[in-house]
């Protein structure tokens, strides 16, 4: 089932590599990724290969021996490949510049200001042919978070109490401070409740939920997107961390990065393996403590509680098996998954907008945040008109990647126990507390966490990682809103630079 994914704001999915200054050059507003092997082969044709390499080694030795930031910036600028050639011979630089196309891997727009153009650059994920794509795991991770939140809201009182009691048992006696291992343990507990069916071995009385073979998310298949040439999809931009305490300037602790530009569309496959789910449903032949399961040939009981978990997760009743309606079921489950995305990421958007209002109240310039205000308004309109969006990739932020947000903001009486427990947990383990913070940690759930990674382009700020998922043809109203989105993006973000 082919779908379309369209970027609404810059999207960075890194491949783990950081490009050195000698790997690229910037000319005429373009970022030019250089094939270093071809570049040295070219200078060698002019008999200057050893000289350029010697200059590179000198600069690297000089860089490693200084601590002054200003000197380091100057040295980085000299590491640009054309600058290296100029240090050896100005005429060599002119010759290489004339043949730059022959050593270029790809050429994309640069939105870097001159003072930050000589920095390390985080590379975008590409395939073996250096074409850009969005991995299915990235999309599925966003869907998984939305579905987890959906299931948590349906947990019974006893299930919520079991989570709370488990948390209390884990934090008892633990000292104040960060504890990422504990948070992973809590995450696993919620995943067991939402996604994993149980297994009881023949000679044991315990039911285990840790076996990935019984993870229901296996039946939701998301394949990698189609691929596009870098020149058709990428640009280079500069993210900064904006905290409420330094909202005007931001903190330049991040590298510039290659990003998929807004308004770029890819196709991808999203499918639910309905036939396999119904096949399992037809094999249910045993109930363990009232929970249906399947007794296998060895006497083990597997897929314990599958009916209830499938109904919660996919809104699908395994008892209602009609082979003539397989495609209807499949479409209904996909619609349900995208509906969960709309609901969850609408809350993420609310939290981002709320943080922005606090930022402006702290003295942030209205002009700086003007585009983000407009962006969030258009994004909200898209969601209100039934468009599914997700926020993913690097810089998507805490709330887009965890179900904890819904626990913190859920004020319904039956869920208040989860909210109170999560607040206690965050306070005790100082989640989100700045490393240099001194004194008592006062948690504000309205602005937690207090900082956001934002893309800075000239005087325009933009959010990271918002994309649209399209399952059905857009309505006239949705097309109109998307056109407004594209026009705003081109006018404010791309043309302006």
């Amino acid at each position: 089932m082919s779908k379309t994914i369209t970027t609404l704001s810059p999207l960075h999915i890194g491949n783990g590599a950081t490009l050195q200054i000698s790997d690229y050059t910037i000319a005429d507003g373009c970022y030019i990724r250089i094939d270093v092997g071809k570049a040295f082969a070219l200078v060698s044709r002019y008999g200057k290969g050893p000289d350029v390499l010697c200059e590179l080694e000198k600069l690297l030795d000089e860089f490693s021996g200084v601590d002054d930031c200003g000197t380091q910036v100057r040295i980085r600028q000299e590491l640009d490949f054309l600058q290296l050639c100029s240090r050896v011979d100005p005429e060599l630089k002119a010759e290489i510049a004339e043949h730059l196309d022959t050593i270029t891997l790809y050429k994309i727009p640069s939105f870097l200001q001159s003072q930050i153009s000589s920095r390390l650059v985080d590379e975008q994920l590409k395939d073996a042919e250096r074409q850009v794509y969005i991995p299915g795991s990235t999309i599925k991770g966003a869907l998984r978070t939305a579905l987890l939140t959906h299931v948590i809201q349906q947990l019974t009182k006893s299930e919520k109490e079991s989570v709370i009691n488990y948390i209390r048992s884990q934090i008892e006696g633990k000292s104040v401070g960060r504890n990422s291992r504990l948070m992973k343990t809590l995450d696993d507990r919620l995943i067991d409740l939402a996604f994993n069916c149980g297994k009881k071995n023949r000679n044991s009385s315990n039911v285990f939920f840790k076996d990935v073979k019984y993870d229901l998310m296996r039946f939701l298949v998301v394949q990698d997107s189609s691929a596009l040439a870098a020149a058709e999809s990428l640009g280079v931009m500069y993210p900064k961390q904006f905290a409420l305490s330094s909202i005007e300037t931001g903190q330049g602790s991040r590298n510039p990065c290659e990003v998929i530009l807004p308004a770029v569309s890819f196709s991808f496959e999203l499918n639910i393996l309905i036939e396999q789910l119904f096949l399992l449903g037809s094999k249910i032949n045993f109930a363990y403590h009232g929970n249906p399961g399947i007794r296998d040939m060895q006497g083990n009981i597997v897929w314990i509680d599958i009916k209830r978990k499938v109904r919660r997760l996919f809104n699908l009743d395994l008892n209602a098996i009609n082979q003539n309606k397989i495609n209807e079921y499949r479409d209904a489950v996909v619609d349900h998954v995208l509906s969960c995305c709309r609901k969850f990421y609408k809350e993420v958007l609310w939290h981002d907008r709320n943080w922005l209002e606090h930022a402006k109240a702290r003295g942030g310039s209205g002009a700086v945040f003007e585009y983000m205000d407009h962006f969030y308004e258009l994004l909200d309109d898209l969601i209100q008109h039934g468009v599914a969006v997700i926020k993913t990739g690097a810089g998507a932020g805490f709330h887009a990647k965890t179900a904890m947000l819904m626990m913190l903001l859920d004020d319904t009486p039956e869920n208040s126990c989860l909210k109170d427990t999560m607040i206690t947990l965050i306070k005790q383990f100082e989640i989100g507390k700045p490393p240099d913070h001194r004194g008592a940690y006062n948690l504000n759930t309205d602005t937690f966490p207090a900082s956001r990674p934002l893309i800075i382009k000239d005087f325009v700020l933009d959010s990271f990682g918002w994309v649209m998922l399209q399952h059905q043809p857009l309505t006239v109203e949705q097309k109109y809103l998307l056109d407004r989105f594209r026009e705003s993006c081109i006018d404010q973000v791309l043309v302006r630079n």
Side-chain angles (χ1 to χ4, degrees):
M1 300 175 70
S2 183
K3 311 290 181 292
T4 302
I5 182 168
T6 301
T7 52
L8 301 175
S9 68
L11 174 65
H12 175 69
I13 303 169
N15 66 358
T18 301
L19 301 175
Q20 304 298 316
I21 292 87
S22 54
D23 291 326
Y24 70 90
T25 190
I26 293 180
D28 300 326
C30 289
Y31 166 96
I32 302 170
R33 175 74 193 282
I34 290 174
D35 185 323
V36 177
K38 288 184 178 179
F40 274 97
L42 181 59
V43 295
S44 295
R45 281 165 47 189
Y46 294 96
K48 302 291 186 179
D51 297 332
V52 173
L53 187 59
C54 182
E55 286 298 321
L56 175 61
E57 291 174 348
K58 284 180 182 178
L59 287 170
L60 292 176
D61 288 342
E62 184 181 352
F63 184 87
S64 63
V66 298
D67 297 322
D68 177 63
C69 291
T71 305
Q72 289 180 343
V73 168
R74 178 189 61 77
I75 296 173
R76 279 200 184 110
Q77 292 171 341
E78 294 295 318
L79 286 170
D80 178 288
F81 190 78
L82 291 181
Q83 285 299 112
L84 280 174
C85 294
S86 179
R87 286 171 65 94
V88 172
D89 184 346
E91 292 184 5
L92 176 64
K93 176 184 176 181
E95 289 287 348
I96 300 301
E98 187 176 339
H99 296 87
L100 197 55
D101 288 347
T102 66
I103 60 172
T104 296
L105 290 174
Y106 49 86
K107 181 178 180 180
I108 58 179
S110 170
F111 301 92
L112 303 183
Q113 298 168 351
S114 58
Q115 65 268 32
I116 57 174
S117 60
S118 55
R119 299 278 294 269
L120 303 177
V121 174
D122 293 335
E123 187 176 11
Q124 178 76 17
L125 180 69
K126 306 178 190 72
D127 63 18
E129 297 179 349
R130 288 199 170 88
Q131 290 199 312
V132 179
Y133 72 100
I134 301 175
S137 57
T138 295
I139 304 170
K140 188 172 182 177
L143 304 183
R144 187 180 179 95
T145 303
L147 287 169
L148 176 59
T149 302
H150 170 74
V151 172
I152 288 173
Q153 293 172 324
Q154 302 177 70
L155 295 179
T156 65
K157 181 179 179 181
S158 62
E159 287 172 321
K160 292 171 186 172
E161 289 175 347
S162 73
V163 172
I164 291 168
N165 291 333
Y166 177 75
I167 292 172
R168 288 172 178 167
S169 70
Q170 293 296 307
I171 67 177
E172 186 177 353
K174 298 286 196 309
S175 59
V176 172
R178 302 186 181 192
N179 191 325
S180 57
R181 184 175 181 181
L182 174 63
M183 297 310 298
K184 176 67 168 64
T185 303
L186 169 61
D187 186 52
D188 289 344
R189 189 75 169 190
L190 293 172
I191 286 172
D192 290 345
L193 282 172
F195 304 136
N196 295 344
C197 293
K199 175 183 179 182
K200 189 191 84 68
N201 292 325
R202 181 182 59 183
N203 299 322
S204 172
S205 60
N206 297 321
V207 178
F208 299 94
F209 293 89
K210 301 296 182 185
D211 196 329
V212 295
K213 288 190 297 185
Y214 308 108
D215 181 355
L216 291 174
M217 288 298 289
R218 290 174 51 205
F219 299 96
L220 184 66
V221 180
V222 186
Q223 296 183 358
D224 294 344
S225 77
S226 57
L228 293 174
E232 299 174 357
S233 54
L234 289 187
V236 177
M237 297 182 179
Y238 183 46
K240 296 179 76 173
Q241 196 76 13
F242 285 81
L244 292 177
S245 59
S246 59
I247 200 61
E248 282 287 357
T249 58
Q251 302 166 9
S253 57
R254 293 171 174 259
N255 290 329
C257 56
E258 297 178 345
V259 298
I260 302 175
L261 295 172
V264 176
S265 295
F266 302 81
S267 62
F268 74 103
E269 295 292 326
L270 171 62
N271 193 20
I272 178 76
L273 304 180
I274 292 289
E275 296 90 344
Q276 293 186 23
L277 279 172
F278 280 164
L279 179 61
L280 285 175
S282 68
K283 291 183 176 181
I284 293 174
N285 58 8
F286 196 83
Y288 183 74
H289 290 250
N291 295 316
I294 301 172
R295 185 188 286 275
D296 64 18
M297 298 295 291
Q298 289 76 38
N300 305 314
I301 305 172
V302 296
W303 295 106
I304 295 174
D305 207 16
I306 183 174
K307 285 187 176 181
R308 183 174 64 153
K309 292 196 172 186
V310 167
R311 187 164 53 249
R312 276 180 177 174
L313 185 61
F314 297 131
N315 196 31
L316 185 66
D317 186 359
L318 290 183
N319 290 322
I321 301 176
N322 187 334
Q323 295 295 332
N324 296 323
K325 295 184 177 181
I326 290 295
N327 289 332
E328 291 181 26
Y329 297 139
R330 183 178 288 109
D331 287 341
V333 172
V334 171
D335 285 339
H336 166 73
V337 171
L338 297 184
S339 174
C340 291
C341 286
R342 281 192 295 273
K343 184 177 180 181
F344 175 72
Y345 289 100
K346 181 179 179 180
E347 295 294 335
V348 174
L349 173 61
W350 176 88
H351 210 278
D352 282 357
R353 295 185 79 171
N354 191 54
W355 180 89
L356 186 63
E357 291 304 313
H358 280 80
K360 290 190 288 187
R362 294 284 186 98
S365 168
V368 171
F369 294 109
E370 181 180 357
Y371 175 73
M372 287 189 66
D373 261 335
H374 186 55
F375 173 84
Y376 286 151
E377 180 183 342
L378 290 175
L379 189 57
D380 192 41
D381 283 346
L382 280 173
I383 297 173
Q384 295 290 352
H385 284 82
V387 174
V389 301
I390 60 176
K391 193 180 186 188
T392 189
F398 174 86
H399 292 100
K401 295 188 174 183
T402 173
M404 196 179 293
L405 166 67
M406 300 302 290
M407 296 188 196
L408 289 176
L409 300 181
D410 197 339
D411 291 322
T412 54
E414 58 269 26
N415 287 338
S416 61
C417 54
L418 280 176
K419 176 181 177 180
D420 295 342
T421 302
M422 294 313 299
I423 289 175
T424 299
L425 189 67
I426 287 174
K427 284 182 176 179
Q428 176 161 348
F429 294 101
E430 300 178 343
I431 301 169
K433 178 179 178 180
D436 58 349
H437 184 87
R438 297 291 182 268
Y441 178 42
N442 298 314
L443 175 67
N444 183 341
T445 56
D446 285 341
T447 58
F448 174 83
S451 65
R452 296 286 192 282
L454 302 173
I455 290 282
I456 181 168
K457 305 175 292 294
D458 196 10
F459 297 105
V460 178
L461 292 183
D462 199 357
S463 183
F464 256 119
W466 285 102
V467 300
M468 178 186 81
L469 304 180
Q470 184 182 336
H471 171 40
Q472 304 287 356
L474 294 176
T475 65
V476 173
E477 187 72 21
Q478 289 171 341
K479 286 181 180 178
Y480 168 72
L481 289 171
L482 187 59
D483 286 343
R484 283 182 59 201
F485 221 113
R486 285 172 171 154
E487 289 170 6
S488 175
C489 161
I490 291 171
D491 179 51
Q492 296 294 326
V493 179
L494 303 182
V495 174
R496 180 168 180 166
N497 287 273

